[in-house]
Amino acid sequence: QVQLVESGGGLVQPGGSLRLSCAVSGSIFSINVMGWYRQAPGKQRELVAEVTSGGRISHADFVEGRFTISRDNAKKVYMQMDRLKSEDTAVYYCCADIMTRRYWGQGTQVTVSS
């Protein structure tokens, strides 16, 4: 059974930083895309950034060079978030594309507030 477990969310002041981590467990041959989405209250879930197994990265315009996604092996993905803004407040979800299915983590809350 595939599981994604996120960590690293929390409360931070505007301008601060957080590092999100996501680990995939289970019997997996390979993972194509891994990434991060977010969902703010009353809004739809939206892409933050994704990285393929080949290292190709795509990200939303609002990242503006503030967030950096990375993978250190086949089953872990990270996102360094700097210069956080209040509008970055949301639940952040990790995702992984395995075979023909997209798996999701349970989400981790990021709150940016003074």
Side-chain angles (χ1 to χ4, degrees):
Q1 184 176 359
V2 175
Q3 286 188 316
L4 281 66
V5 179
E6 302 114 330
S7 61
L11 173 63
V12 64
Q13 292 185 344
S17 299
L18 285 173
R19 180 176 171 83
L20 304 183
S21 301
C22 175
V24 182
S25 63
S27 180
I28 302 165
F29 178 68
S30 67
I31 303 174
N32 183 12
V33 178
M34 297 188 74
W36 294 93
Y37 282 66
R38 71 184 189 184
Q39 187 167 19
K43 295 187 177 181
Q44 291 188 328
R45 191 174 296 189
E46 61 181 353
L47 168 71
V48 179
E50 292 181 332
V51 55
T52 69
S53 56
R56 187 177 67 200
I57 293 173
S58 58
H59 58 77
D61 289 342
F62 62 74
V63 168
E64 299 172 330
R66 301 180 297 126
F67 299 172
T68 304
I69 190 170
S70 61
R71 285 171 75 163
D72 66 353
N73 61 35
K75 293 186 178 182
K76 291 184 179 179
V77 65
Y78 306 91
M79 189 160 68
Q80 176 68 37
M81 303 189 296
D82 299 316
R83 306 196 307 276
L84 283 160
K85 305 175 182 179
S86 58
E87 51 263 45
D88 295 319
T89 295
V91 177
Y92 285 70
Y93 296 91
C94 174
C95 66
D97 290 351
I98 302 169
M99 300 297 283
T100 60
R101 179 176 171 179
R102 169 157 285 190
Y103 293 83
W104 295 93
Q106 79 286 355
T108 185
Q109 177 70 45
V110 171
T111 302
V112 185
S113 175
S114 56

